[in-house]
Amino acid sequence: MRLELARVLGARGQISREFVETPQYECEALGEVLGCRVVLKVETLNPVRSFKGRGTDTVLARLQERGTANAVVCASAGNLGQALAFGGRARGIGVTVVASAAANPLKIERMKAFGADVVLVEGEIEAALETAARIADETGAFLVEDSKDIGTCEGAATIGVELTELPGALDAVLVSLGAGAMASGVGFAVKSLREGTEIICVQPEQAPAMTLALRAGRPVEVGAPDTIADGVAGRYVIPEVLDDLSAVADDAVLVTEAGIVEAMRLLYRHAGLVVEPAAALGVASILESNGRFSGKTVATILCGSNVTPTDFAHWIHGTPPST
């Protein structure tokens, strides 16, 4: 286990106030529909509309402490890049983000608005990471690798710390799973402070790399992701993150694309919240759980809301999709 509780607790004081102490509350209307007590942890009410600012601020603060924070570069599908750009601008650190040319246009627009130099490449996120690594080698910029960089995990772990401060019982935390920073971080914090709470990771059936690796105990070759949940659509597994996650995850489940869309609808209708597909995975897992959570208290982290209005309207109301 690479994470340390003392560093996680220390990160709470390093992260900009916009990103911490986020709302967490029981949504009774949603719970009535789902048949369990549902606690929503809302990570979308901040300048970058996602939880990623916790991790990027932790990384940047630690770089500044070491005096090595002149410039940074990352590969991102959008949310990490936005958060790094926002934090870099606030701290006077130059930021380059490499993204796929097929990435969410809203996310690319916001990265640029926050002052990042955005480089677009053909291919998936792995192609973007190769380019980012090359830029780091050529320029000396620090390469921020989501999930592999322990700061991204320990920053995300502060979400788990806050969840453990909820009063009353907490039977399970449902965590969206992509590369693993949030899942391993939240899982570590919750298991450290509320050992009896289950940590259940949730991933799309059409982007199952980390889930299949958890089940097999090793990375498993999978095909290219094909999911609307672009924020968790990685194909490859980082071995160190798999080790961390294996130590804290009680289960990992896969959900359908239809389930993700229905979960987004329920969150909109019963909680009044706009979320991107990756943020709806926890609710989707309750929908498809065959009563597993009946009568229990479960928390789910709404990790982002960077979705274009056209796409959201298509998924929620059935209007024509964006082109």
Side-chain angles (χ1 to χ4, degrees):
M1 170 58 66
R2 299 178 302 149
L3 288 78
E4 292 184 5
L5 186 58
R7 291 201 305 257
V8 171
L9 297 176
R12 298 182 83 181
Q14 296 175 309
I15 299 167
S16 295
R17 304 316 300 170
E18 295 99 331
F19 300 113
V20 294
E21 304 300 332
T22 53
Q24 49 188 33
Y25 62 93
E26 180 186 359
C27 183
E28 293 185 15
L30 187 60
E32 290 173 2
V33 174
L34 296 174
C36 58
R37 183 170 180 257
V38 179
V39 174
L40 300 179
K41 180 65 165 165
V42 186
E43 293 291 309
T44 64
L45 304 178
N46 59 58
V48 302
R49 305 180 192 174
S50 85
F51 80 99
K52 292 288 189 180
R54 294 180 185 253
T56 54
D57 260 16
T58 302
V59 171
L60 293 174
R62 292 175 180 179
L63 287 174
Q64 287 184 314
E65 287 177 350
R66 298 198 298 264
T68 56
N70 297 320
V72 295
V73 58
C74 75
S76 173
N79 286 350
L80 178 78
Q82 287 182 77
L84 195 63
F86 180 85
R89 184 179 69 180
R91 297 170 185 268
I93 299 169
V95 175
T96 299
V97 180
V98 184
S100 167
N104 183 317
L106 172 65
K107 295 180 181 181
I108 292 175
E109 176 186 324
R110 296 310 300 161
M111 287 188 282
K112 293 178 179 178
F114 289 133
D117 179 14
V118 178
V119 177
L120 299 180
V121 299
E122 297 300 324
E124 302 169 27
I125 187 64
E126 289 75 23
L129 182 57
E130 289 178 6
T131 300
R134 187 176 71 250
I135 291 172
D137 287 340
E138 293 172 351
T139 67
F142 181 84
L143 177 62
V144 180
E145 295 184 76
D146 194 20
S147 302
K148 188 172 183 179
D149 191 313
I150 196 64
T152 62
C153 303
E154 292 179 335
T158 60
I159 300 171
V161 175
E162 292 170 19
L163 282 171
T164 66
E165 294 169 348
L166 285 163
L170 182 59
D171 295 305
V173 180
L174 309 173
V175 193
S176 299
L177 177 59
M182 183 169 66
S184 63
V186 170
F188 172 75
V190 171
K191 288 296 187 184
S192 297
L193 300 169
R194 276 206 192 192
E195 187 177 352
T197 301
E198 274 194 299
I199 298 298
I200 303 171
C201 304
V202 190
Q203 203 164 34
E205 285 183 348
Q206 295 180 194
M210 185 64 89
T211 296
L212 297 183
L214 279 169
R215 293 175 181 177
R218 56 177 175 77
V220 176
E221 181 64 31
V222 298
D226 183 23
T227 176
I228 61 171
D230 62 318
V232 293
R235 180 176 179 179
Y236 299 103
V237 171
I238 301 170
E240 305 96 296
V241 182
L242 178 60
D243 289 343
D244 294 339
L245 192 55
S246 297
V248 296
D250 295 290
D251 197 4
V253 300
L254 298 172
V255 294
T256 66
E257 298 296 291
I260 296 170
V261 171
E262 181 60 20
M264 293 173 68
R265 289 178 182 147
L266 291 176
L267 284 162
Y268 181 64
R269 292 172 182 171
H270 298 289
L273 295 171
V274 174
V275 300
E276 63 187 83
L281 298 183
V283 172
S285 71
I286 301 174
L287 280 171
E288 300 182 349
S289 69
N290 294 317
R292 173 179 180 176
F293 303 106
S294 179
K296 294 186 176 181
T297 299
V298 298
T300 187
I301 302 161
L302 307 182
C303 54
S305 63
N306 284 299
V307 56
T308 66
T310 303
D311 284 341
F312 188 77
H314 169 60
W315 291 321
I316 303 305
H317 303 299
T319 58
S322 60
T323 57

